Amino acid sequence: MRDRPLDVGWLRIFEAVGRLGSLTKAAQELGLSQPAVTYQIRRIEEQLGATLFHRSHGGSRLSEAGEMLYRVVHSGLERIDEAARDIRRRARAPAIRIFTDYGFAAYWLMPRVADFRRLHPHVEVHIVASQSLEDESAGDVDAAVLFGERDDFPEHARLLMPERVVPVCAPGFLTRYGPFEDTAAVARAPLLHLETSGVPRWLTWSTWLAMHGVTREPAQGDLGLNTYGFVIQAALAEQGIALGWIGLVDTFLAAGTLVAVAPEVQRQTFGYWLIPHQPATAATQSLTEWLISQA
């Protein structure tokens, strides 16, 4: 019900016919009969003194006057629907939907959300996680924590956690394959890769090695995985060396289940950025301020 469009009468009917190019399809979408849609369009044409559609067996095509009206009506309805969504979101009981990737959700956000809920027991927090940063479900959220570079995000985005990466592996793997006295020795070991579609925003093994002057082709024994959770699980299972993002692997390093085996690399313009929905609700503002304090 929260996404049901506001009833704005003939505007909605005219827009549907113009967009779909069919009286029948418009009637089906709006839950009306075709005669009712036809009657309403004729009434609009009578009031304007102009033909809005050229009708044929193939459908209804906008006339020149119809095109002029359609551009304004379509744009106006989009803005009305957007305003209605914002009003309905504010009218609901305080609840925050936050979008991020699986790794950040599992290893940084989830362990901390319980603390926020203790401080704000009246606020619900819904975490929407996806490996794709362009996920369709990200549109209807109150805030997002996304990985990338400063220029990837709007001006009001806040840097939550700069990118700091250190190669890690399980102690048993280090015993079998180590010690890794230099970067070249790391390059000779089986590596765990986080696979992404398109140009990767995260640091990759190729980038990390290049920063140390080492080139390496994918080798037998390497393992590619499509989520960071799988990469960490493979590292814990002694399958290879993983790139560990500081902030995500801290608990494993503290517990000794993963150990650092090479120098840390930092990229200050990259990291996790907090992007609150604008304008932010009071509940969203509370969460964003709390996340910044935690980071």
Side-chain angles (χ1 to χ4, degrees):
M1 290 294 291
R2 73 182 189 184
D3 293 326
R4 178 174 55 83
L6 292 178
D7 182 10
V8 287
W10 70 267
L11 294 177
R12 190 74 65 186
I13 295 174
F14 171 76
E15 190 277 339
V17 177
R19 171 167 46 83
L20 299 171
S22 167
L23 295 167
T24 301
K25 291 180 180 178
Q28 292 172 346
E29 179 177 285
L30 298 172
L32 301 172
S33 66
Q34 181 177 329
V37 172
T38 301
Y39 171 75
Q40 188 62 66
I41 295 298
R42 285 176 177 168
R43 284 193 59 196
I44 303 169
E45 290 177 329
E46 289 172 2
Q47 293 175 39
L48 294 175
T51 299
L52 299 177
F53 293 95
H54 298 302
R55 298 166 178 81
S56 66
H57 292 298
S60 299
R61 181 171 52 86
L62 286 164
S63 66
E64 183 178 350
E67 289 276 6
M68 185 184 304
L69 183 62
Y70 178 78
R71 285 194 295 270
V72 177
V73 169
H74 180 71
S75 175
L77 285 176
E78 283 188 331
R79 296 177 63 183
I80 290 171
D81 290 342
E82 181 179 354
R85 285 192 294 270
D86 285 343
I87 292 169
R88 284 166 174 157
R89 181 170 54 245
R90 289 171 176 268
R92 297 198 299 268
I96 306 169
R97 283 169 54 85
I98 184 166
F99 176 79
T100 189
D101 64 66
Y102 286 124
F104 187 85
Y107 298 122
W108 196 93
L109 187 56
M110 285 297 296
R112 291 168 171 80
V113 164
D115 293 334
F116 175 80
R117 296 184 66 189
R118 279 192 288 271
L119 293 172
H120 302 274
H122 62 291
V123 178
E124 294 182 17
V125 179
H126 302 164
I127 298 174
V128 182
S130 171
Q131 190 61 21
S132 170
L133 300 185
E134 290 77 27
D135 193 283
E136 293 180 1
S137 63
D140 186 25
V141 296
D142 299 287
V145 178
L146 304 177
F147 191 94
E149 195 172 12
R150 166 70 269 189
D151 293 343
D152 295 332
F153 306 111
E155 290 185 4
H156 67 275
R158 299 280 301 275
L159 180 60
L160 200 61
M161 195 165 64
E163 185 177 39
R164 298 169 54 203
V165 180
V166 60
V168 297
C169 70
F173 183 89
L174 178 59
T175 300
R176 293 205 320 271
Y177 289 89
F180 303 106
E181 298 178 351
D182 53 27
T183 307
V186 172
R188 289 191 292 271
L191 303 181
L192 304 174
H193 301 268
L194 175 60
E195 297 180 340
T196 58
S197 59
V199 178
R201 296 185 179 186
W202 294 271
L203 195 73
T204 65
W205 270 116
S206 295
T207 307
W208 188 89
L209 291 168
M211 295 172 87
H212 291 85
V214 176
T215 58
R216 175 188 188 270
E217 295 296 327
Q220 186 175 5
D222 282 8
L223 185 60
L225 303 123
N226 67 349
T227 71
Y228 193 59
F230 291 162
V231 171
I232 295 300
Q233 290 303 313
L236 292 169
E238 304 182 5
Q239 297 297 302
I241 304 176
L243 291 174
W245 274 261
I246 300 300
L248 305 188
V249 297
D250 299 36
T251 56
F252 300 104
L253 293 173
T257 52
L258 291 177
V259 293
V261 295
E264 177 185 305
V265 166
Q266 298 185 26
R267 294 197 301 177
Q268 292 297 328
T269 60
F270 285 80
Y272 277 102
W273 295 81
L274 174 63
I275 307 104
H277 183 277
Q278 297 286 53
T281 64
T284 303
Q285 187 68 26
S286 296
L287 178 64
T288 55
E289 290 175 357
W290 181 83
L291 288 173
I292 291 169
S293 72
Q294 291 294 300

